[in-house]
Amino acid sequence: MSADYTPPQGEIPILHADHEILVVDKPAGLLSVPGKGPELADCLIERLKQAFPQVLLVHRLDRDTSGVMVFALTPHAQRHIGLQFEHRRTKKTYLARVAGKLEPKTGHIDLPLIVDWPNRPKQMVCHETGKPAQTDWRVIKASDEESRVHLLPLTGRSHQLRVHMLAQGHPILGDPFYAPETAANYPRMMLHAEELRLRHPDGGLGLKFRAPAPF
């Protein structure tokens, strides 16, 4: 990955900031956290530290995924929101463009996932040793060539949405790992974290953050 890592430049859009949390719209092509080696040091959390030196990681988005990400600004917030993710009390909605006509209009995927060790960081379905992973989908519009869908992960496995859609025969367009034959035809992977719902760590108020998809 390092050889072709050319992260986008420019300001990171801030969606919300208060005394406990920071919510941003991550651009596609930027690592959430540093990779191995100095050539992979440029990442979202390091850029945010310039303005928010106390920023703490809660969750990640893949390099090629864009959209809503929440960070903690205190250890209390990091614990509080981390437990919400762990106990599936957050609600995440992604927008994706996938190959082919996805049918039916709504569906549920329940396929366990594990790292594809010889091809890491790729993941794969494994019914023997995989960890449970569930995704719901809702088709927004579809043609024979592609479908625009909402994906709602009920678990948070690495590459979950990407592998689940591949397993359905409808890989995410532009995905360099799981649909490399489409990557040259799209400027980026067509996956965006559109909405995140959680409870504020100071008082428990329900919050909803959205970032429109750029595709």
Side-chain angles (χ1 to χ4, degrees), residues 19-20 76 80 199-205:
H19 63 294
E20 292 272 18
H76 163 72
H80 193 283
R199 294 200 172 276
H200 197 282
D202 183 4
L205 181 68

Side-chain angles (χ1 to χ4, degrees), residues 35-74:
K36 293 181 179 178
E39 70 278 8
L40 298 177
D42 185 12
C43 63
L44 180 57
I45 195 166
E46 290 300 322
R47 293 190 190 183
L48 293 175
K49 282 179 181 177
Q50 296 172 24
F52 302 90
Q54 73 276 39
V55 69
L56 297 167
L57 187 71
V58 176
H59 68 127
R60 307 181 190 201
L61 291 178
D62 293 341
R63 178 192 66 177
D64 298 312
T65 304
S66 57
V68 180
M69 259 189 94
V70 61
F71 291 86
L73 296 178
T74 68

Side-chain angles (χ1 to χ4, degrees), residues 64-65 95-101 143-149 151 161-162 165-166 169-192 215:
D64 298 312
T65 304
L95 184 74
R97 289 168 60 188
V98 303
K101 190 170 187 177
S143 67
D144 289 340
E145 290 74 37
E146 70 170 76
S147 302
R148 190 174 184 89
V149 300
L151 300 175
L161 301 179
R162 300 162 70 175
M165 295 316 297
L166 175 68
H170 299 278
I172 295 171
L173 295 168
D175 189 332
F177 282 173
Y178 304 102
E181 69 281 0
T182 72
N185 300 324
Y186 296 88
R188 51 159 294 178
M189 182 170 69
M190 296 292 151
L191 179 63
H192 175 78
F215 54 80

